[in-house]
Amino acid sequence: ETPNVIRPPIDQDLLRDYIQYARENIHPQLSDDAANQLLESYLEMRGSGVASRTITATPRQLESLIRLTEALAKMRYSQTATRADAQEAV
């Protein structure tokens, strides 16, 4: 018997099934609030580089924020990505 073995908080088979179900069945859409939050944050990031004349945020980064927001909603099995998801992504 090994006393230092740590048991995972969730069974691996259950976790695999959870992820598989989410991939196949959960396809979140951005809510209006989430889209506005992402836009505001993106514009704020873009604006922070004006003084130094450098681009601090690109459209690619906005796309990444959208994907992160949708992924956070997917983890909750939600079909709608909320403003809270967007705030966490930023």
Side-chain angles (χ1 to χ4, degrees):
E1 185 177 325
T2 54
N4 293 332
V5 174
I6 299 172
R7 301 187 81 200
I10 187 170
D11 180 60
Q12 279 187 332
D13 292 333
L14 178 61
L15 180 60
R16 185 190 66 239
D17 292 344
Y18 184 93
I19 293 169
Q20 181 179 353
Y21 180 85
R23 282 184 178 156
E24 293 173 0
N25 300 300
I26 308 297
H27 307 287
Q29 299 294 313
L30 288 178
S31 68
D32 290 340
D33 281 344
N36 287 335
Q37 173 66 40
L38 289 173
L39 183 60
E40 290 168 12
S41 298
Y42 174 71
L43 292 175
E44 186 178 307
M45 287 188 283
R46 293 273 307 178
S48 67
V50 170
S52 62
R53 300 176 76 77
T54 60
I55 297 175
T56 55
T58 64
R60 177 175 249 173
Q61 288 169 313
L62 176 59
E63 292 168 356
S64 295
L65 289 174
I66 292 169
R67 283 192 302 274
L68 283 170
T69 301
E70 291 171 346
L72 288 163
K74 187 178 276 197
M75 286 188 337
R76 293 184 295 105
Y77 275 23
S78 175
Q79 293 291 355
T80 305
T82 64
R83 185 176 191 90
D85 294 321
Q87 288 172 332
E88 188 172 346
V90 173

